[in-house]
Amino acid sequence: MREAAALELTGDRVRDLALLDQDSGTSKGVARVAFTAIRDGGHWRLSDIAVDPAQPAPAARAGRAMRRRRAPA
């Protein structure tokens, strides 16, 4: 993990944003992961996770990129 920051902390609930290093062996990058954790009996449990929350889904990005390549210059 590169960095993490609590975006909101209220009682037994925290919203967090983490920057994670990714390494697939052939390429490297950074992923943004937003998640919500809720304290439950002394443990933190994740209630939701969003990878690259401000970005469209990978399939949507690929579809737009292919349309751009096909468009006349």
Side-chain angles (χ1 to χ4, degrees), residues 41-68:
H43 298 279
W44 288 96
R45 306 214 185 264
L46 297 179
S47 64
D48 65 81
I49 299 173
V51 177
D52 288 332
Q55 302 295 322
R61 285 195 306 253
R64 281 199 302 272
M66 294 205 48
R67 283 193 295 277
R68 281 194 298 257

Side-chain angles (χ1 to χ4, degrees), residues 16-27:
D16 194 70
L17 179 66
L19 297 177
L20 307 174
D21 289 321
Q22 293 183 307
D23 186 348
S24 69
T26 58
S27 63

Side-chain angles (χ1 to χ4, degrees), residues 9-10 12-16 35-39 44-48:
L9 176 59
T10 54
D12 290 339
R13 181 176 179 267
V14 63
R15 289 184 52 232
D16 194 70
F35 61 89
T36 301
I38 298 172
R39 191 181 343 227
W44 288 96
R45 306 214 185 264
L46 297 179
S47 64
D48 65 81

